[in-house]
């Protein structure tokens, strides 16, 4: 159980900093009746927040924060896990909480707002869940007219054409006001694409061109090419040429869009009968994984290649030279293992997860031969320098499990130089859980990797979250700075930094 004295201390710290809402108030009343066992320190943030927003200014800075780091780090993740004594059963279900960490010449502020989706507003008013979630069966009490009826906007963020969006793979991008984070509503990119899913992993090339996809449970795939100004240049919708039902991320290279279609079958009858989407999925390894290659120049030119079954959430990057194509990804445990783990942690139960590990794929474009190389480090959430998206690259950074000793989550960071095979690591120690860290290019630099690595962590002993900033080329030297919140925030998935 969370110690009341520590809660009061956190509350006093909050009061001293003039917080709009105290963490004390947020945490009281939770932990009972909703099925969360709050005894595992590193899982505390999965308890969730109560739907109120957070704000803190002049954050405490430990170490030396680079003065040239100016801009906003937006991060999204599931923030609300229970209502009226009912708790979501899967981490992916929670309603989106978007954070804005604003770095302004050595001063940092924090703001976190729940995305006021249609679903969030209706359920807040009712004081209970009214709509089904991805991993939790809830009998709908409101009509479901399309994907956005159940959009939780909880996975990532995007700023394109001067607008900010909260992203969720099952529905539309949800537009937010970039300053206040107030929700404006689902973005319709073009009338014929209204309500089509827009994945949480768009890829933006160095010239600002954005590529994205959206996949429907019925096995259709939408493709989008969007200009730096936010206009749809081209789009298409087609039937996925494989029996898959979940596509989370993809890769863009100079000539291609690349998808790994994992053998996940969906029992639509079970979904219609009220089963949670997740419980209607099954893993059919005999079908293997299909690699789908789509020409960027002509979406109708598509090729399919077979490879062994692999469960993949995230890619680092990819490139091609017309003869060969290379990419990297993180291979996750297959279904149902991955979801057994994600459900255990949502009950507050410590459960060791099978590691997800780096993979490097090479496709010979003439012969169709695929070769795979793997590494053993336990990692997720790979990132590359945003300047090398779709181009030849050599550096990938990940949160990594280095010395977790039976604890859930990542405790450090890993930097791989994929040409030399050299690596650098840093471990924060047993008390800290490390989330995705993004690469922020140093102003005036041009070389890949010249930048800072910026991301969020949770210190389970102090029960506070912090942002850490590293020199991306020297992560083993430890963080340059930690920026402390006077409270904790829920774990997020993905973020993006936009320079001021
Ligand atoms: Fe993701």
């Amino acid at each position: 159980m969370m110690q009341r004295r520590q809660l009061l201390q956190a509350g006093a710290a909050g009061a001293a900093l003039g917080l709009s809402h105290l963490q004390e108030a947020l945490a009281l009343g939770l932990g009972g009746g909703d099925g969360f066992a709050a005894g595992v320190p590193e899982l505390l943030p999965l308890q969730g927040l109560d739907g109120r927003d957070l704000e803190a200014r002049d954050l405490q800075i430990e170490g030396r924060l680079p003065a040239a780091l100016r801009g906003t780090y937006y991060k999204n993740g599931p923030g609300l896990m229970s209502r009226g004594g009912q708790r979501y059963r899967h981490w992916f279900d929670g309603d989106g909480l978007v954070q804005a960490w604003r770095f302004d010449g050595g001063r940092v502020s924090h703001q976190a707002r729940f995305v006021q989706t249609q679903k969030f507003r209706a359920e807040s008013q009712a004081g209970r869940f009214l709509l089904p979630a991805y991993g939790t069966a809830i009998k709908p009490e409101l009509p479901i007219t399309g994907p956005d009826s159940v959009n939780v906007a909880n996975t990532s963020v995007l700023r394109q054409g001067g607008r900010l969006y909260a992203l969720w793979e099952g529905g539309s991008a949800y537009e937010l006001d970039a300053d206040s984070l107030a929700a404006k509503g689902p973005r319709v990119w073009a009338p014929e694409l209204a309500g089509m899913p827009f994945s949480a992993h768009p890829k933006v090339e160095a010239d600002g061109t954005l590529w994205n996809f959206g996949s429907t449970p019925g096995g259709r795939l939408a493709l989008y090419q969007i200009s730096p100004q936010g206009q749809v240049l081209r789009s298409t919708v087609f039937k996925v040429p494989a029996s898959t039902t979940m596509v989370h991320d993809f890769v863009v290279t100079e000539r291609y869009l690349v998808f790994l279609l994992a053998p996940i079958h969906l029992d639509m009858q079970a979904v219609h009968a009220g089963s949670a989407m997740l419980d209607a999925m099954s893993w059919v390894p005999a079908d293997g994984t299909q690699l789908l290659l789509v020409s960027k120049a002509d979406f109708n030119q598509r090729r399919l290649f077979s490879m062994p079954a692999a469960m993949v959430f995230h890619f680092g990057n990819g490139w091609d030279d017309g003869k060969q194509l290379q990419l990297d990804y993180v291979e996750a445990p297959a279904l149902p293992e991955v979801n057994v783990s994600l459900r255990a942690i949502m009950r507050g139960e410590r459960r060791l997860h099978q590691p997800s590990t780096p993979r490097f794929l090479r496709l010979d474009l003439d012969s169709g031969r695929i070769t795979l190389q793997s590494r053993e480090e336990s990692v997720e959430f790979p990132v590359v320098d945003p300047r090398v998206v779709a181009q030849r690259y050599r550096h990938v950074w990940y949160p990594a499990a280095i010395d977790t000793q039976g604890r859930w989550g990542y405790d450090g960071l890993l930097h791989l130089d994929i040409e030399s095979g050299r690596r650098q690591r840093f471990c924060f120690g047993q008390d800290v859980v490390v989330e995705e860290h993004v690469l922020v290019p140093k102003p005036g630099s041009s070389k890949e990797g010249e930048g800072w690595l910026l991301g969020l962590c949770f210190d389970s002993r102090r029960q506070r979250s912090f942002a850490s900033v590293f020199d991306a080329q020297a992560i083993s030297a430890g963080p340059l700075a930690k920026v402390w919140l006077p409270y904790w925030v829920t774990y997020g998935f993905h973020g993006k930094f936009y320079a001021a």
Side-chain angles (χ1 to χ4, degrees):
M1 283 295 289
M2 192 178 197
Q3 298 299 309
R4 180 161 173 83
R5 188 148 51 95
Q6 286 166 308
L7 280 175
L8 292 174
Q9 282 168 353
L17 282 144
L19 300 179
S20 58
H21 299 295
L22 298 181
Q23 193 80 30
E24 179 186 6
L26 299 180
L28 289 174
L30 291 178
D34 63 1
F36 184 76
V40 183
E42 71 270 18
L43 300 183
L44 173 67
L46 292 170
Q47 195 169 17
L49 296 168
D50 75 350
R52 282 179 287 181
D53 302 331
L54 299 167
E55 197 169 352
R57 294 179 185 279
D58 293 323
L59 301 180
Q60 177 197 341
I61 295 167
E62 179 186 333
R64 296 183 69 138
L65 191 64
L69 178 64
R70 301 175 81 104
T72 304
Y73 177 47
Y74 293 104
K75 175 116 187 194
N76 198 353
L80 185 135
M81 309 301 190
S82 47
R83 289 189 190 276
Q86 184 175 19
R87 186 170 166 80
Y88 281 141
R89 295 180 60 211
H90 198 286
W91 184 27
F92 297 177
D93 294 345
D95 295 273
L97 179 73
V98 170
Q99 303 177 51
W101 291 69
R102 296 190 171 90
F103 293 79
D104 180 17
R107 292 172 69 170
V108 188
S109 68
H110 180 254
Q111 183 187 10
R113 263 192 112 152
F114 282 90
V115 184
Q116 305 281 318
T117 58
Q118 189 186 319
K119 169 186 177 293
F120 184 89
R121 289 198 311 268
E123 293 182 335
S124 294
Q125 202 161 24
R128 64 184 197 281
F129 292 129
L130 302 171
L131 289 158
Y134 167 73
T136 309
I138 294 169
K139 195 169 179 300
E141 295 184 46
L142 292 174
I144 299 173
T145 55
D148 290 328
S149 298
V150 293
N151 193 335
V152 288
N154 72 358
T155 312
S156 191
V157 292
L158 166 71
R159 209 171 72 181
Q160 184 78 357
R163 300 182 188 207
L164 179 70
Y165 304 94
L167 305 180
W168 178 67
E169 72 187 31
S172 304
Y174 227 90
E175 189 176 351
L176 307 179
D177 183 281
D179 295 322
S180 70
L181 306 182
K184 295 181 166 178
R187 171 69 194 259
V188 178
W189 298 99
E192 69 275 17
L193 295 166
M196 271 308 284
F198 186 85
S199 101
H201 285 284
K203 299 289 178 281
V204 181
E205 295 194 59
D207 70 355
T209 300
L210 180 149
W211 304 87
N212 202 10
F213 71 94
S215 86
T216 71
R220 287 188 308 152
L221 203 62
L223 303 178
Y224 305 80
Q225 182 190 358
I226 293 174
S227 74
Q229 294 73 34
Q231 306 307 313
V232 176
L233 300 175
R234 282 187 306 141
S235 67
T236 189
V237 180
F238 62 95
K239 180 94 182 71
V240 179
S243 52
T244 192
T245 49
M246 200 197 88
V247 189
H248 181 72
D249 190 4
F250 76 137
V251 161
V252 178
T253 69
E254 187 174 338
R255 296 167 182 80
Y256 301 102
L257 312 179
V258 191
F259 298 86
L260 290 188
L261 308 172
I264 301 170
H265 292 205
L266 183 69
D267 181 349
M268 279 309 280
Q269 276 188 329
V271 173
H272 289 135
S275 169
M277 178 94 86
L278 177 140
D279 294 312
M281 289 177 168
S282 56
W283 181 252
V284 188
D287 283 2
T289 283
Q290 307 294 315
L291 186 155
L292 170 65
L293 207 59
V294 182
S295 164
K296 284 162 85 174
D298 177 359
F299 289 161
N300 291 317
Q301 275 188 40
R302 302 191 285 263
R303 295 169 71 188
L304 208 57
F305 306 88
S306 296
M307 58 183 273
M311 177 71 196
V312 180
F313 288 104
H314 296 122
F315 296 88
N317 194 20
W319 59 273
D320 81 275
D321 60 7
K323 290 251 176 231
Q324 63 158 325
L325 183 149
Q326 291 196 24
L327 58 82
D328 75 280
Y329 60 92
V330 175
E331 183 162 336
L335 301 182
E337 166 60 27
V338 63
N339 287 317
V340 171
S341 293
L342 291 168
R343 276 187 164 157
I345 60 165
M346 274 297 279
R347 293 190 297 267
E349 292 169 13
R350 181 178 273 145
R351 187 178 186 280
L352 264 189
H353 58 138
Q354 285 178 20
S356 299
T357 50
R359 294 285 183 280
F360 302 90
L361 181 151
R362 182 180 177 280
L363 168 66
D364 183 297
L365 289 164
D366 292 328
S367 68
R369 203 166 81 91
I370 290 173
T371 41
L372 285 168
Q373 287 187 317
S374 55
R375 294 184 66 111
E376 297 305 315
E377 291 95 346
S378 171
V379 297
E380 249 298 351
F381 302 110
V383 301
V384 298
D385 190 318
R387 293 171 292 197
V388 299
V389 170
Q391 297 169 30
R392 192 159 184 155
Y393 64 106
R394 66 181 286 180
H395 300 284
V396 189
W397 292 263
Y398 316 81
I402 295 171
D403 186 25
T404 50
Q405 294 179 7
R407 199 206 68 186
W408 177 82
Y410 300 105
D411 60 351
L413 291 162
L414 168 69
H415 168 203
L416 280 186
D417 176 336
I418 60 178
E419 277 186 21
S420 70
R422 278 196 297 266
R423 72 178 190 189
Q424 277 200 30
R425 300 191 301 174
F426 178 78
C427 183
F428 282 92
Q430 271 294 301
D431 294 328
V432 174
V433 177
V434 181
E435 301 182 35
E436 178 190 77
H437 277 52
V438 296
L439 192 293
V440 179
K442 283 183 188 169
S445 76
S446 57
K447 196 168 153 233
E448 179 189 356
E450 281 182 351
W452 299 292
L453 201 62
L454 165 65
L456 304 189
C457 302
F458 170 64
D459 185 318
S460 65
R461 194 175 49 81
R462 298 174 72 173
Q463 298 194 343
R464 285 162 68 184
S465 305
F466 64 91
S468 71
V469 182
F470 288 78
D471 181 330
Q473 293 172 312
I475 66 163
S476 56
L480 301 169
K482 294 179 181 175
V483 184
W484 288 91
L485 289 181
Y487 41 75
W488 56 263
V489 283
T490 37
Y491 293 129
F493 294 132
H494 302 290
K496 288 278 180 288
F497 184 88
Y498 295 100

